[in-house]
């Protein structure tokens, strides 16, 4: 629990950040791709569907309106064919026809009139008072008199209300007559008015002059250029329906679906705001984005939480590893000391054996009782001297051992490495002597100090020396230890001319628990501990070996820089003053 | 105790000298040499009953090699090994090669004397068996007296 409150070091913080970024990137990329691709495909197919639907709708209504117009025209043609123009002048007659038309086709036909060549309406029936009306100047009349059948644009006319006229021409008694009917605008408008989809979808009809032929639900001024373009596009392409999406005069993106009516005179236009037409798509997009954002938030939260948790765990296990390492180093130290002890024991045994023998010799002499003569006394003195000499020898050995054993703490100090090497070489000298190994040290004088734990570095060299002595135990040889300064680093080489290390083992030599010694003899930890210690100091340890030629372990450790030493000297003098 | 010939091989001169002195005082015919090579040389020239050999010697031949040579030159000579605690394994190897026994250094002088006596007894009985066999053979085939050995 306590551990959780410890703030993490920058290394772990950057580790956390990297993990979070990686997780977010890996999670977001597919999510983003899937969402974008799906939305894009869906949008494309939805557009297609909406276009097809609107196109179909407009086409159907175009046919509807066209057939309405054709049907009305045919009604009038039929009437014109059957009517007897001799009787045209008679009001009653016209009334009868209108009544019949209205009975047959509903109240679509508002009125009915007969106009002569001069534009004089000779007969009229309907709700307006248009008997005797003169149409000779009216546009529709001029065109109606030219063609057999005619459907006019919507206009206000004499009655002052929007309407349009369907007329048929007939020649009778060398006179051209026109029979005309007015179509109920409200009725016609309804045909277009009922085309309503969504909130903004509506339809209207324009003529070639860009004037409304129906009353649009939303009032606006049509732009003639644009509609002329529709006319020409539809005519040129021979298409029945043209669909376009563009900004309207209010700047709202809209879909325009247009179709020609009345043989190209009119244009049926259906307009709907894109946002309205694609509202389903918009909804789907909104939902997708909401889920994307929610998912994103969840991913980010998850990534931060999980990375934090994992890094904590890594930090904990690193800490445990650190403790473990320290324990392993301690164990390794005991093992190497044990190996050293074998050599030391023999070294101590020899003087002790001499002392024991000398003491025994003195005893022998005393037992004989022959200690009065000068010669005997000389022999006594010699033996006692010998015992003293050997006792001193023992003392020296124990001192060496003690100075080694005293450096047990792993405190970091600044010290010169040469002295430490000399000490270890002295300790190993006896073992080397019995293995027929010549120990040579080549230490550059005045090496800069290094900052390390003496006891740990001792262990490194002891391990390397022990290994070399083990390797040359049978054959003998030379073991050379050199130390020199190179580019601000201390370079220490421990080289032997023993049997060498086979190439296959060379790569694994620093692995923990890798050993070529028989079970029970070696832990396989020695070199891995050396590796750990040197790396902890910010140095490196390498090995070069050739079978039957020898092995060299190279150690490079950073030297304390001169500045650091000087600073130290300055601060030392300061304190002295 | 019978008088017999002893060769002590040890690299520590002081130890060697004192030991030889003490052995001579016990009426044994003892000689000391400081290396395996010297021991081998001497054994080629003189006959010894018991050899006391330090197994750990620096330079040149070590104890085991010397033992092999001794057993080659004088197979009947009994060898006592002197060893430190750390080299008991070497002593075991030595005994497999025909050494009589081993002693941990520093040893009690009496133990050394006792083991030397045992070794000499063994050697003597061995010698006697060989002598008896020869006598038996000569009584059967007296003419073999003139054969070269």
């Amino acid at each position: 629990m306590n551990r959780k409150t410890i703030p993490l070091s920058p290394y772990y913080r950057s580790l956390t950040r990297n993990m979070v970024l990686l997780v977010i990137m890996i999670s977001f990329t597919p999510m983003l791709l899937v969402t974008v691709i799906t939305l894009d495909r869906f949008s494309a197919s939805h557009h297609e569907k909406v276009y097809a639907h609107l196109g179909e709708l407009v086409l159907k209504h175009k046919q509807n309106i066209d057939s309405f117009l054709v049907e009305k025209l045919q009604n009038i043609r039929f009437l014109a064919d059957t009517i007897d123009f001799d009787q045209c002048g008679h009001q009653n007659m016209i009334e009868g026809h209108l009544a019949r038309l209205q009975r047959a086709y509903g109240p679509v036909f508002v009125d009915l009139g007969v106009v002569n060549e001069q534009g004089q309406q000779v007969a009229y029936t309907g709700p307006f008072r248009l008997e005797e009306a003169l149409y000779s100047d009216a546009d529709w009349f001029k065109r109606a008199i030219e063609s057999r059948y005619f459907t006019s644009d919507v206009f206000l006319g004499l009655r002052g209300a929007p309407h349009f006229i369907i007329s048929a021409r007939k020649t009778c008694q060398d006179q051209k007559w026109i029979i005309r009917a007015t179509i109920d605008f409200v009725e016609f408008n309804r045909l277009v008015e009922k085309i309503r989809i969504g909130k903004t979808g509506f339809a209207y009809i324009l003529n070639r002059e860009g004037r409304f032929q129906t009353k649009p639900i939303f009032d606006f001024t049509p732009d003639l250029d644009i509609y002329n373009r529709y006319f020409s596009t539809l005519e040129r392409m021979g298409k029945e329906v043209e669909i376009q999406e563009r900004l309207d005069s209010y700047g709202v993106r809209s879909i325009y679906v247009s179709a020609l009516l009345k043989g190209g005179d009119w244009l049926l236009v259906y307009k709907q705001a894109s946002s309205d037409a694609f509202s389903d798509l918009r909804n789907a997009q909104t939902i997708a984005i909401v889920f994307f954002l929610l998912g994103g938030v969840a991913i980010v939260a998850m990534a931060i939480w999980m990375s934090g948790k994992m890094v904590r765990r890594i930090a904990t296990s690193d800490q445990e590893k650190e403790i473990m390492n320290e324990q392993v180093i301690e164990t390794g130290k005991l093992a190497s000391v044990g190996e050293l002890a074998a050599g030391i024991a023999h070294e101590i045994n020899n003087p002790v054996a001499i002392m024991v023998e000398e003491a025994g010799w003195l005893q022998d002499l005393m037992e004989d009782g022959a200690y009065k003569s000068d010669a005997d006394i000389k022999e006594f003195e010699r033996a006692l001297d010998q015992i003293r000499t050997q006792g001193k020898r023992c003392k020296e050995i124990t001192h060496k051992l003690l100075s080694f054993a005293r450096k047990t703490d792993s405190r970091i100090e600044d010290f010169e490495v040469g002295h430490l090497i000399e000490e270890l070489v002295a300790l190993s000298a006896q073992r080397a002597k019995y293995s027929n190994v010549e120990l040579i040290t080549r230490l550059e004088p005045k090496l800069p100090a290094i900052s390390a734990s003496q006891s740990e570095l001792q262990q490194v060299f002891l391990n390397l020396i022990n290994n070399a002595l083990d390797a040359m135990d049978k054959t003998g040889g030379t073991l050379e230890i050199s130390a020199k300064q190179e580019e601000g680093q201390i370079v220490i080489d421990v080289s032997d001319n023993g049997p060498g290390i086979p190439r296959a083992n060379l790569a694994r030599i620093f692995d923990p628990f890798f050993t070529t010694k028989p079970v029970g003899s070696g832990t396989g930890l020695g070199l891995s501990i050396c590796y750990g210690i040197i790396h902890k100091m910010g140095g490196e340890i390498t090995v070069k070996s050739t079978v039957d030629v020898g092995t060299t372990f190279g150690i490079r450790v950073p030297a304390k820089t001169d500045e650091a030493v000087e600073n130290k000297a300055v601060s030392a003098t300061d304190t002295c003053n | 105790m019978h008088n017999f010939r002893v060769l002590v091989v040890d690299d520590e001169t002081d130890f060697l000298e004192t030991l030889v002195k003490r052995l001579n005082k016990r009426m044994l015919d003892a000689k000391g040499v400081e290396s395996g090579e010297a021991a081998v040389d001497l054994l080629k020239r003189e006959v010894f009953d018991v050899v006391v050999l330090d197994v750990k010697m620096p330079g040149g031949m070590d104890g085991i090699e010397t033992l092999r040579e001794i057993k080659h030159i004088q197979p009947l000579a009994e060898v006592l090994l002197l060893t430190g605690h750390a080299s008991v394994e070497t002593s075991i190897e030595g005994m497999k090669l025909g050494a009589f026994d081993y002693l941990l250094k520093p040893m009690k002088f009496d133990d050394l004397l006792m083991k030397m006596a045992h070794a000499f007894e063994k050697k003597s009985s061995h010698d006697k068996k060989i002598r008896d066999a020869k006598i038996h053979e000569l009584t059967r085939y007296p003419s073999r007296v003139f054969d070269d050995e």
Side-chain angles (χ1 to χ4, degrees), chain A residues 21-50:
Chain A
L21 289 179
L22 193 72
V23 169
I24 287 176
M25 223 170 70
I26 287 175
S27 317
F28 263 100
T29 311
M31 197 164 98
L32 198 69
L33 279 176
V34 166
T35 312
V36 167
I37 290 172
T38 310
L39 278 183
D40 180 65
R41 293 287 83 211
F42 179 64
S43 154
S45 81
H46 192 74
H47 270 79
E48 237 168 71
K49 199 191 108 192
V50 167

mmCIF file of all heavy atoms in Angstrom, chain A residues 21-50:
data_model
loop_
_atom_site.group_PDB
_atom_site.id
_atom_site.type_symbol
_atom_site.label_atom_id
_atom_site.label_comp_id
_atom_site.label_asym_id
_atom_site.label_seq_id
_atom_site.Cartn_x
_atom_site.Cartn_y
_atom_site.Cartn_z
ATOM 1 N N LEU A 21 0.353 6.046 -24.954
ATOM 2 C CA LEU A 21 0.268 6.476 -26.351
ATOM 3 C C LEU A 21 0.139 5.276 -27.281
ATOM 4 O O LEU A 21 -0.673 5.287 -28.212
ATOM 5 C CB LEU A 21 1.508 7.295 -26.720
ATOM 6 C CG LEU A 21 1.561 8.679 -26.082
ATOM 7 C CD1 LEU A 21 2.829 9.411 -26.491
ATOM 8 C CD2 LEU A 21 0.341 9.503 -26.479
ATOM 9 N N LEU A 22 0.912 4.251 -27.003
ATOM 10 C CA LEU A 22 0.881 3.064 -27.863
ATOM 11 C C LEU A 22 -0.489 2.411 -27.835
ATOM 12 O O LEU A 22 -1.070 2.099 -28.878
ATOM 13 C CB LEU A 22 1.958 2.082 -27.384
ATOM 14 C CG LEU A 22 2.259 0.955 -28.358
ATOM 15 C CD1 LEU A 22 3.015 1.504 -29.556
ATOM 16 C CD2 LEU A 22 3.074 -0.115 -27.681
ATOM 17 N N VAL A 23 -1.012 2.226 -26.626
ATOM 18 C CA VAL A 23 -2.325 1.570 -26.487
ATOM 19 C C VAL A 23 -3.381 2.406 -27.192
ATOM 20 O O VAL A 23 -4.213 1.883 -27.944
ATOM 21 C CB VAL A 23 -2.675 1.384 -24.996
ATOM 22 C CG1 VAL A 23 -4.123 0.956 -24.848
ATOM 23 C CG2 VAL A 23 -1.764 0.369 -24.356
ATOM 24 N N ILE A 24 -3.331 3.727 -26.991
ATOM 25 C CA ILE A 24 -4.338 4.592 -27.605
ATOM 26 C C ILE A 24 -4.233 4.513 -29.119
ATOM 27 O O ILE A 24 -5.238 4.352 -29.818
ATOM 28 C CB ILE A 24 -4.154 6.050 -27.118
ATOM 29 C CG1 ILE A 24 -4.624 6.157 -25.669
ATOM 30 C CG2 ILE A 24 -4.942 7.006 -27.986
ATOM 31 C CD1 ILE A 24 -4.400 7.501 -25.054
ATOM 32 N N MET A 25 -2.999 4.557 -29.625
ATOM 33 C CA MET A 25 -2.836 4.531 -31.071
ATOM 34 C C MET A 25 -3.333 3.211 -31.643
ATOM 35 O O MET A 25 -4.082 3.195 -32.628
ATOM 36 C CB MET A 25 -1.362 4.705 -31.404
ATOM 37 C CG MET A 25 -1.123 5.638 -32.541
ATOM 38 S SD MET A 25 0.624 5.979 -32.663
ATOM 39 C CE MET A 25 1.241 4.420 -33.218
ATOM 40 N N ILE A 26 -2.950 2.124 -31.004
ATOM 41 C CA ILE A 26 -3.332 0.808 -31.516
ATOM 42 C C ILE A 26 -4.840 0.626 -31.447
ATOM 43 O O ILE A 26 -5.449 0.042 -32.332
ATOM 44 C CB ILE A 26 -2.584 -0.302 -30.737
ATOM 45 C CG1 ILE A 26 -1.136 -0.318 -31.167
ATOM 46 C CG2 ILE A 26 -3.216 -1.652 -30.958
ATOM 47 C CD1 ILE A 26 -0.289 -1.276 -30.395
ATOM 48 N N SER A 27 -5.463 1.157 -30.398
ATOM 49 C CA SER A 27 -6.913 0.970 -30.260
ATOM 50 C C SER A 27 -7.666 1.907 -31.186
ATOM 51 O O SER A 27 -8.688 1.539 -31.754
ATOM 52 C CB SER A 27 -7.351 1.237 -28.835
ATOM 53 O OG SER A 27 -6.469 0.671 -27.932
ATOM 54 N N PHE A 28 -7.143 3.135 -31.339
ATOM 55 C CA PHE A 28 -7.885 4.115 -32.110
ATOM 56 C C PHE A 28 -7.824 3.860 -33.604
ATOM 57 O O PHE A 28 -8.806 4.057 -34.300
ATOM 58 C CB PHE A 28 -7.363 5.526 -31.815
ATOM 59 C CG PHE A 28 -8.186 6.236 -30.785
ATOM 60 C CD1 PHE A 28 -7.789 6.323 -29.473
ATOM 61 C CD2 PHE A 28 -9.400 6.802 -31.149
ATOM 62 C CE1 PHE A 28 -8.551 6.960 -28.530
ATOM 63 C CE2 PHE A 28 -10.173 7.450 -30.207
ATOM 64 C CZ PHE A 28 -9.756 7.525 -28.886
ATOM 65 N N THR A 29 -6.660 3.438 -34.073
ATOM 66 C CA THR A 29 -6.489 3.302 -35.512
ATOM 67 C C THR A 29 -7.556 2.402 -36.141
ATOM 68 O O THR A 29 -8.266 2.856 -37.040
ATOM 69 C CB THR A 29 -5.075 2.806 -35.824
ATOM 70 O OG1 THR A 29 -4.171 3.618 -35.110
ATOM 71 C CG2 THR A 29 -4.778 2.886 -37.301
ATOM 72 N N PRO A 30 -7.743 1.173 -35.672
ATOM 73 C CA PRO A 30 -8.778 0.346 -36.301
ATOM 74 C C PRO A 30 -10.176 0.908 -36.089
ATOM 75 O O PRO A 30 -11.016 0.857 -36.991
ATOM 76 C CB PRO A 30 -8.624 -1.019 -35.630
ATOM 77 C CG PRO A 30 -7.793 -0.798 -34.444
ATOM 78 C CD PRO A 30 -7.017 0.453 -34.645
ATOM 79 N N MET A 31 -10.404 1.479 -34.910
ATOM 80 C CA MET A 31 -11.733 2.009 -34.615
ATOM 81 C C MET A 31 -12.049 3.139 -35.583
ATOM 82 O O MET A 31 -13.139 3.196 -36.171
ATOM 83 C CB MET A 31 -11.771 2.514 -33.172
ATOM 84 C CG MET A 31 -13.165 2.707 -32.652
ATOM 85 S SD MET A 31 -13.173 2.831 -30.868
ATOM 86 C CE MET A 31 -13.209 4.582 -30.687
ATOM 87 N N LEU A 32 -11.062 4.010 -35.765
ATOM 88 C CA LEU A 32 -11.238 5.159 -36.648
ATOM 89 C C LEU A 32 -11.460 4.685 -38.080
ATOM 90 O O LEU A 32 -12.382 5.129 -38.770
ATOM 91 C CB LEU A 32 -9.985 6.036 -36.566
ATOM 92 C CG LEU A 32 -10.129 7.459 -37.066
ATOM 93 C CD1 LEU A 32 -11.024 8.237 -36.117
ATOM 94 C CD2 LEU A 32 -8.776 8.124 -37.163
ATOM 95 N N LEU A 33 -10.626 3.721 -38.513
ATOM 96 C CA LEU A 33 -10.726 3.212 -39.874
ATOM 97 C C LEU A 33 -12.102 2.604 -40.112
ATOM 98 O O LEU A 33 -12.777 2.912 -41.096
ATOM 99 C CB LEU A 33 -9.641 2.160 -40.122
ATOM 100 C CG LEU A 33 -8.262 2.725 -40.461
ATOM 101 C CD1 LEU A 33 -7.256 1.595 -40.584
ATOM 102 C CD2 LEU A 33 -8.324 3.508 -41.753
ATOM 103 N N VAL A 34 -12.535 1.747 -39.187
ATOM 104 C CA VAL A 34 -13.822 1.071 -39.342
ATOM 105 C C VAL A 34 -14.934 2.104 -39.392
ATOM 106 O O VAL A 34 -15.821 2.065 -40.264
ATOM 107 C CB VAL A 34 -14.047 0.064 -38.183
ATOM 108 C CG1 VAL A 34 -15.488 -0.387 -38.137
ATOM 109 C CG2 VAL A 34 -13.113 -1.112 -38.335
ATOM 110 N N THR A 35 -14.880 3.063 -38.463
ATOM 111 C CA THR A 35 -15.948 4.054 -38.407
ATOM 112 C C THR A 35 -15.994 4.875 -39.686
ATOM 113 O O THR A 35 -17.062 5.039 -40.289
ATOM 114 C CB THR A 35 -15.717 4.993 -37.202
ATOM 115 O OG1 THR A 35 -15.445 4.201 -36.065
ATOM 116 C CG2 THR A 35 -16.918 5.857 -36.955
ATOM 117 N N VAL A 36 -14.830 5.357 -40.108
ATOM 118 C CA VAL A 36 -14.797 6.227 -41.290
ATOM 119 C C VAL A 36 -15.247 5.466 -42.528
ATOM 120 O O VAL A 36 -16.103 5.938 -43.292
ATOM 121 C CB VAL A 36 -13.373 6.811 -41.482
ATOM 122 C CG1 VAL A 36 -13.237 7.433 -42.845
ATOM 123 C CG2 VAL A 36 -13.092 7.837 -40.412
ATOM 124 N N ILE A 37 -14.705 4.250 -42.694
ATOM 125 C CA ILE A 37 -15.059 3.484 -43.889
ATOM 126 C C ILE A 37 -16.545 3.155 -43.887
ATOM 127 O O ILE A 37 -17.252 3.326 -44.888
ATOM 128 C CB ILE A 37 -14.207 2.193 -43.970
ATOM 129 C CG1 ILE A 37 -12.768 2.576 -44.274
ATOM 130 C CG2 ILE A 37 -14.743 1.259 -45.042
ATOM 131 C CD1 ILE A 37 -11.794 1.436 -44.185
ATOM 132 N N THR A 38 -17.037 2.712 -42.743
ATOM 133 C CA THR A 38 -18.453 2.348 -42.664
ATOM 134 C C THR A 38 -19.335 3.558 -42.954
ATOM 135 O O THR A 38 -20.283 3.477 -43.742
ATOM 136 C CB THR A 38 -18.786 1.817 -41.249
ATOM 137 O OG1 THR A 38 -17.830 0.842 -40.913
ATOM 138 C CG2 THR A 38 -20.172 1.237 -41.197
ATOM 139 N N LEU A 39 -19.007 4.676 -42.324
ATOM 140 C CA LEU A 39 -19.812 5.882 -42.533
ATOM 141 C C LEU A 39 -19.761 6.314 -43.991
ATOM 142 O O LEU A 39 -20.790 6.688 -44.572
ATOM 143 C CB LEU A 39 -19.318 7.018 -41.638
ATOM 144 C CG LEU A 39 -19.823 6.993 -40.205
ATOM 145 C CD1 LEU A 39 -19.318 8.193 -39.446
ATOM 146 C CD2 LEU A 39 -21.343 6.944 -40.156
ATOM 147 N N ASP A 40 -18.590 6.233 -44.582
ATOM 148 C CA ASP A 40 -18.424 6.654 -45.962
ATOM 149 C C ASP A 40 -19.243 5.779 -46.893
ATOM 150 O O ASP A 40 -19.985 6.268 -47.743
ATOM 151 C CB ASP A 40 -16.942 6.597 -46.335
ATOM 152 C CG ASP A 40 -16.726 7.022 -47.762
ATOM 153 O OD1 ASP A 40 -17.000 8.196 -48.052
ATOM 154 O OD2 ASP A 40 -16.307 6.189 -48.581
ATOM 155 N N ARG A 41 -19.142 4.467 -46.681
ATOM 156 C CA ARG A 41 -19.894 3.531 -47.531
ATOM 157 C C ARG A 41 -21.400 3.718 -47.324
ATOM 158 O O ARG A 41 -22.174 3.729 -48.268
ATOM 159 C CB ARG A 41 -19.509 2.076 -47.209
ATOM 160 C CG ARG A 41 -18.103 1.668 -47.551
ATOM 161 C CD ARG A 41 -17.893 1.504 -49.040
ATOM 162 N NE ARG A 41 -17.617 2.766 -49.672
ATOM 163 C CZ ARG A 41 -17.939 3.088 -50.908
ATOM 164 N NH1 ARG A 41 -18.595 2.235 -51.660
ATOM 165 N NH2 ARG A 41 -17.636 4.257 -51.414
ATOM 166 N N PHE A 42 -21.760 3.863 -46.074
ATOM 167 C CA PHE A 42 -23.172 4.016 -45.745
ATOM 168 C C PHE A 42 -23.699 5.304 -46.373
ATOM 169 O O PHE A 42 -24.778 5.321 -46.962
ATOM 170 C CB PHE A 42 -23.337 4.057 -44.229
ATOM 171 C CG PHE A 42 -24.759 4.247 -43.774
ATOM 172 C CD1 PHE A 42 -25.706 3.289 -44.057
ATOM 173 C CD2 PHE A 42 -25.140 5.390 -43.101
ATOM 174 C CE1 PHE A 42 -27.014 3.468 -43.667
ATOM 175 C CE2 PHE A 42 -26.442 5.576 -42.707
ATOM 176 C CZ PHE A 42 -27.389 4.619 -42.981
ATOM 177 N N SER A 43 -22.884 6.351 -46.270
ATOM 178 C CA SER A 43 -23.279 7.636 -46.810
ATOM 179 C C SER A 43 -23.470 7.526 -48.318
ATOM 180 O O SER A 43 -24.460 7.996 -48.872
ATOM 181 C CB SER A 43 -22.216 8.674 -46.449
ATOM 182 O OG SER A 43 -22.207 9.713 -47.360
ATOM 183 N N ALA A 44 -22.521 6.853 -48.988
ATOM 184 C CA ALA A 44 -22.621 6.717 -50.444
ATOM 185 C C ALA A 44 -23.890 5.974 -50.818
ATOM 186 O O ALA A 44 -24.641 6.398 -51.711
ATOM 187 C CB ALA A 44 -21.397 5.985 -50.971
ATOM 188 N N SER A 45 -24.148 4.870 -50.122
ATOM 189 C CA SER A 45 -25.314 4.064 -50.508
ATOM 190 C C SER A 45 -26.603 4.789 -50.126
ATOM 191 O O SER A 45 -27.606 4.698 -50.817
ATOM 192 C CB SER A 45 -25.234 2.678 -49.874
ATOM 193 O OG SER A 45 -25.667 2.737 -48.544
ATOM 194 N N HIS A 46 -26.541 5.551 -49.052
ATOM 195 C CA HIS A 46 -27.728 6.296 -48.650
ATOM 196 C C HIS A 46 -28.029 7.400 -49.665
ATOM 197 O O HIS A 46 -29.183 7.607 -50.050
ATOM 198 C CB HIS A 46 -27.526 6.901 -47.262
ATOM 199 C CG HIS A 46 -28.772 7.433 -46.651
ATOM 200 N ND1 HIS A 46 -29.755 6.608 -46.146
ATOM 201 C CD2 HIS A 46 -29.214 8.709 -46.503
ATOM 202 C CE1 HIS A 46 -30.744 7.361 -45.699
ATOM 203 N NE2 HIS A 46 -30.444 8.654 -45.902
ATOM 204 N N HIS A 47 -26.986 8.078 -50.116
ATOM 205 C CA HIS A 47 -27.171 9.107 -51.143
ATOM 206 C C HIS A 47 -27.834 8.499 -52.364
ATOM 207 O O HIS A 47 -28.785 9.037 -52.905
ATOM 208 C CB HIS A 47 -25.813 9.707 -51.536
ATOM 209 C CG HIS A 47 -25.428 10.898 -50.712
ATOM 210 N ND1 HIS A 47 -24.906 10.761 -49.461
ATOM 211 C CD2 HIS A 47 -25.524 12.231 -50.954
ATOM 212 C CE1 HIS A 47 -24.668 11.974 -48.964
ATOM 213 N NE2 HIS A 47 -25.036 12.885 -49.855
ATOM 214 N N GLU A 48 -27.267 7.365 -52.767
ATOM 215 C CA GLU A 48 -27.803 6.684 -53.951
ATOM 216 C C GLU A 48 -29.286 6.391 -53.779
ATOM 217 O O GLU A 48 -30.100 6.621 -54.665
ATOM 218 C CB GLU A 48 -27.056 5.364 -54.120
ATOM 219 C CG GLU A 48 -26.378 5.220 -55.461
ATOM 220 C CD GLU A 48 -25.425 4.049 -55.433
ATOM 221 O OE1 GLU A 48 -25.904 2.902 -55.402
ATOM 222 O OE2 GLU A 48 -24.194 4.300 -55.392
ATOM 223 N N LYS A 49 -29.590 5.887 -52.579
ATOM 224 C CA LYS A 49 -30.970 5.482 -52.298
ATOM 225 C C LYS A 49 -31.892 6.698 -52.326
ATOM 226 O O LYS A 49 -32.964 6.679 -52.933
ATOM 227 C CB LYS A 49 -31.018 4.802 -50.920
ATOM 228 C CG LYS A 49 -32.248 3.951 -50.701
ATOM 229 C CD LYS A 49 -32.381 3.529 -49.257
ATOM 230 C CE LYS A 49 -33.521 4.284 -48.622
ATOM 231 N NZ LYS A 49 -33.559 4.174 -47.179
ATOM 232 N N VAL A 50 -31.443 7.778 -51.684
ATOM 233 C CA VAL A 50 -32.268 8.983 -51.624
ATOM 234 C C VAL A 50 -32.457 9.563 -53.023
ATOM 235 O O VAL A 50 -33.576 9.921 -53.402
ATOM 236 C CB VAL A 50 -31.607 10.016 -50.673
ATOM 237 C CG1 VAL A 50 -32.259 11.369 -50.827
ATOM 238 C CG2 VAL A 50 -31.726 9.548 -49.235
#
